Amino acid sequence: MTAPLTVVIFGASGDLTARKLIPALYRLDVLGLLPDETKIVGVSRREYTDEVFRETIQPMVKQSSGISWLQGPWTQFAKRISYVSADAEKPEGIQKLNAWLQNRENNQGGRRLYYLSVGPELYPGIVTRLGEAGMNKEDGGYRRLIIEKPFGRDRRSARDLNNILHQHFTEDQIYRIDHYLGKDTVQNIMVFRFANTLFEPLWNHKYIDHVQITVSEKVVIGKRGAFYDTTGVLRDMFQSHILQVMAMLAMEYPTRLTAERIRNEKVKVLESIRIPTMEDAKKSMVLGQYTGYRKEPGVGANSKTPTYAAVKLMIENWRWQGIPFYLRSGKGLNARYSEVVIQFQRPPHLMFPLQKGHSLESNRITLVLQPNDSIRLNFQTKVPSVDSYRLEPQDLSFVYGQAYQGQQLPEAYERLLLDAIQGEASLFMRSDEIERAWEIMDPIIAASELADAPDPNEYAINSQGPECANGLFSEGQSWQPIVPN
């Protein structure tokens, strides 16, 4: 007999549960990927019954599911959902949940996936209560813990949190989630590199001039000012999303497609990134703040919190020696757009004459991660003419939506929740990954928060960010414009 599977969502009354987690589980169920014995229990302090909880989240699930929403499948799926009103930070609250679980499992044990969809300040208390109640013990099935970012504010706080987690859960029970790694197009980075022989021989310092990683957001802070003003773009985006993409781009070939081998290679990249001194950090970043940020609700009138950052990092290993990685992210920009640009070196000698005022554009590969997921290869062509060699760059393009018509790209949380249920940890972060990423970012963040640090460069909403961001580049290099196709 198969052991019962229960997905326990702490913070069930929050936005993430209704907007992402329940819709993802619903779609997995529609696709037939949820085990038949799966139950979902929401845990929160609000006084809901099972039925009221289902009715409360249904409109958001319907909105999030789009064309995949059907009333019949939802009615069947909703039968999986229950609710326990409890304060999980208190012993009596966690005991109430434990009694519910034991009753469902008939005291025969079962598989449990605990999802902490709560504020990071609640992580230690809930984890401690779970451990004290013995709910971490794998009795008749697994116990897995999913933790949302932010995972600490710096290396010290991340290490402290890891220590608390490891007091009650083993490392292989812990799944630190970064939804960015759940995107199909991010996972395709590994397929593009390691399933094709065409590009991998060029993927090194002999042929590549530099690499650009862009995560552009069109939205502004809005009602999140109180949270964001103590966080900023460097903590919010760089330490997690962007460094993870960088590690996947730069890592060596894993001998097998297993969690430990993939994560080992990513850690090797992070260990090879040069940690800047405070003085180097000042020179290797450009900070910006969109016009009007200081007037957002919850933001200080003299806030220096950056809403935009561009950072230059170097990897000191054989493959990437001397190749700069330029990373940027910002809010209030002209588009929601994420891409990776591999900029190749110029030909060492060009026999074709260039028109006056024109320079040669080097070949580049662009991996568009969102929204119009695609891969572009840019190369030089001869413009048709009988009397000259005039060069013009053109693109070869692969667009997911055109190649796989009728196939909807899965949402990140669908892939990550299914992986956690199945025990596949490749797309989740290990404790040493987290701590090393903070070690890289700590001096950069510290330099941005110095008392005598200049104000971030102001930039207009719906722009490409501060114009001075190109100052990070060497001569002949510049940011590719944020113009999604």
Side-chain angles (χ1 to χ4, degrees), residues 52-191:
V52 169
F53 180 56
R54 295 166 187 163
E55 291 174 355
T56 301
I57 61 175
Q58 177 182 341
M60 186 67 78
V61 177
K62 184 175 182 179
Q63 179 181 340
S64 300
S65 300
I67 60 173
S68 65
W69 167 266
L70 292 170
Q71 183 62 50
W74 166 257
T75 300
Q76 288 300 115
F77 172 75
K79 295 176 182 178
R80 297 183 183 273
I81 302 173
S82 299
Y83 184 83
V84 173
S85 176
D87 185 344
E89 279 199 292
K90 295 181 178 179
E92 58 270 25
I94 213 70
Q95 287 296 345
K96 184 177 180 182
L97 171 64
N98 197 24
W100 186 95
L101 289 165
Q102 289 178 349
N103 182 62
R104 157 163 163 69
E105 295 164 354
N106 296 318
N107 295 316
Q108 296 178 354
R111 296 170 292 165
R112 300 180 190 172
L113 183 65
Y114 302 123
Y115 200 117
L116 299 190
S117 179
V118 296
E121 70 280 1
L122 302 181
Y123 296 166
I126 295 176
V127 169
T128 301
R129 298 291 90 76
L130 287 170
E132 291 172 346
M135 297 170 69
N136 55 346
K137 296 178 181 178
E138 299 192 333
D139 181 20
Y142 62 67
R143 303 289 184 270
R144 294 176 185 151
L145 181 73
I146 298 183
I147 301 180
E148 276 280 347
K149 66 181 280 285
F151 198 92
R153 285 183 51 82
D154 50 28
R155 189 188 185 197
R156 180 177 178 179
S157 60
R159 188 190 300 118
D160 290 344
L161 180 53
N162 276 328
N163 289 339
I164 291 172
L165 295 176
H166 290 150
Q167 289 175 20
H168 303 286
F169 289 84
T170 60
E171 180 62 30
D172 63 357
Q173 291 179 301
I174 302 168
Y175 289 67
R176 299 170 189 82
I177 195 168
D178 181 346
H179 74 271
Y180 219 72
L181 295 184
K183 293 179 179 295
D184 245 40
T185 45
V186 173
Q187 296 159 37
N188 194 54
I189 292 172
M190 284 198 299
V191 175

Side-chain angles (χ1 to χ4, degrees), residues 302-317:
N302 299 309
S303 173
K304 291 185 177 182
T305 299
T307 61
Y308 172 99
V311 175
K312 175 183 176 181
L313 292 177
M314 306 293 291
I315 299 175
E316 296 184 325
N317 64 17

